[in-house]
């Protein structure tokens, strides 16, 4: 079955260009020209991937993403004209799978779509059993994390990072490795993004439950040890 792509973009010219290129590649496409319509369509579950512009009328792309992630894990690639770290971090933190900065080459967008779809396919197949550390239980299949029965709310990136550290227990993972696995091999941007997510995880787990789970190995990266 053909892959269905939703393009949420108010700039008609860009939307049409992307649509034509995607159709040429065999994708089935649909468009929305404002955030509200985009959210409604994205929530319908009829699409395999969503291309989401950040600067949109009615609801901006980040707000669309925030609301969408309450009900859907559909892969989202942000299209942004802005090139600030804050937009990227908040976009990724809200659960975007990737982003492309305008103006982009269509080949780059196509490559990122393929990566996002492939990543979705592999995470659905792997990660079927629960991961346990002390009182922490993480269930990748159910996308849930609890500590001593208390639910922990994590963003997609925080969750992916935690799963990665837990499945590689006692192995120190470098920032670059973590960045590649969590953000995609072709992620271009600030490498301190990982440090930001580690900080979020520590405040949500280590500090909240008074444990020392994520250890820093200075100059190298991070590790969760069995002890
Ligand atoms: Ca726009």
């Amino acid at each position: 079955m053909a892959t269905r792509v939703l393009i949420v973009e108010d700039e008609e010219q860009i939307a049409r260009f992307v649509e034509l290129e995607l159709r040429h590649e065999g994708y089935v496409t649909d468009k929305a020209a404002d955030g509200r319509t985009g959210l409604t369509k994205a929530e319908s579950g009829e699409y395999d991937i969503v291309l989401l512009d950040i600067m949109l009328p009615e609801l901006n792309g980040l707000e669309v993403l925030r609301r969408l992630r309450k009900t859907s894990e559909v892969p989202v690639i942000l299209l942004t004209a802005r090139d600030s770290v804050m937009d990227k971090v908040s976009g990724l933190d809200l659960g975007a799978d990737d982003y492309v900065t305008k103006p982009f080459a269509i080949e780059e967008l196509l490559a990122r779509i393929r990566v996002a779809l492939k990543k979705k396919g592999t995470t659905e197949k792997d990660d079927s059993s629960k991961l346990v550390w002390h009182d922490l239980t993480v269930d990748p299949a159910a996308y849930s994390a609890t500590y001593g029965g208390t639910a922990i709310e994590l963003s997609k990136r925080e969750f992916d990072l935690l799963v990665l550290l837990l499945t590689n227990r006692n192995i120190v993972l470098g920032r670059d490795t973590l960045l590649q696995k969590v953000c995609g091999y072709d992620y271009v941007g600030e490498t301190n993004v990982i440090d930001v997510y580690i900080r979020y995880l520590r405040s949500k787990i280590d500090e909240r439950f008074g444990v020392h789970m994520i250890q820093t190995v200075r100059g190298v990266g991070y590790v969760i040890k069995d002890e």
Side-chain angles (χ1 to χ4, degrees), residues 40-191:
T40 308
K41 287 192 172 185
E43 281 176 331
S44 70
E46 285 172 28
Y47 305 95
D48 298 297
I49 187 162
V50 178
L51 308 181
L52 181 60
D53 187 28
I54 290 190
M55 303 287 276
L56 286 170
E58 299 200 32
L59 278 183
N60 75 50
L62 293 178
E63 185 56 23
V64 171
L65 179 61
R66 194 183 67 77
R67 297 190 191 186
L68 178 64
R69 279 293 175 253
K70 290 181 178 171
T71 58
S72 166
E73 282 303 318
V74 63
V76 172
I77 296 178
L78 291 173
L79 310 178
T80 171
R82 292 187 271 177
D83 199 18
S84 85
V85 188
M86 265 331 288
D87 262 7
K88 286 174 198 166
V89 171
S90 38
L92 296 174
D93 197 42
L94 285 170
D97 294 78
D98 208 345
Y99 59 83
V100 176
T101 307
K102 293 182 197 172
F104 51 82
I106 193 69
E107 291 76 16
E108 186 193 357
L109 180 63
L110 292 171
R112 282 168 192 265
I113 290 173
R114 285 193 295 270
V115 169
L117 289 169
K118 205 169 129 197
K119 210 164 72 180
K120 185 192 171 216
T122 45
T123 42
E124 275 177 1
K125 264 175 260 143
D126 299 348
D127 306 342
S128 49
S129 52
K130 289 184 184 178
L131 301 160
V132 178
W133 184 89
H134 292 220
D135 290 336
L136 175 73
T137 303
V138 175
D139 184 350
Y143 218 82
S144 73
T146 55
Y147 196 96
T150 306
I152 305 167
E153 287 213 7
L154 299 173
S155 73
K156 185 180 183 302
R157 298 280 168 161
E158 291 163 4
F159 191 85
D160 290 348
L161 184 58
L162 179 60
V163 166
L164 199 59
L165 287 167
L166 283 171
T167 46
N168 291 283
R169 232 166 310 173
N170 304 313
I171 300 169
V172 180
L173 297 175
R175 284 184 181 77
D176 292 345
T177 308
L178 293 170
L179 194 67
Q180 279 178 16
K181 302 243 171 163
V182 175
C183 300
Y185 73 89
D186 53 355
Y187 173 85
V188 276
E190 291 67 18
T191 50

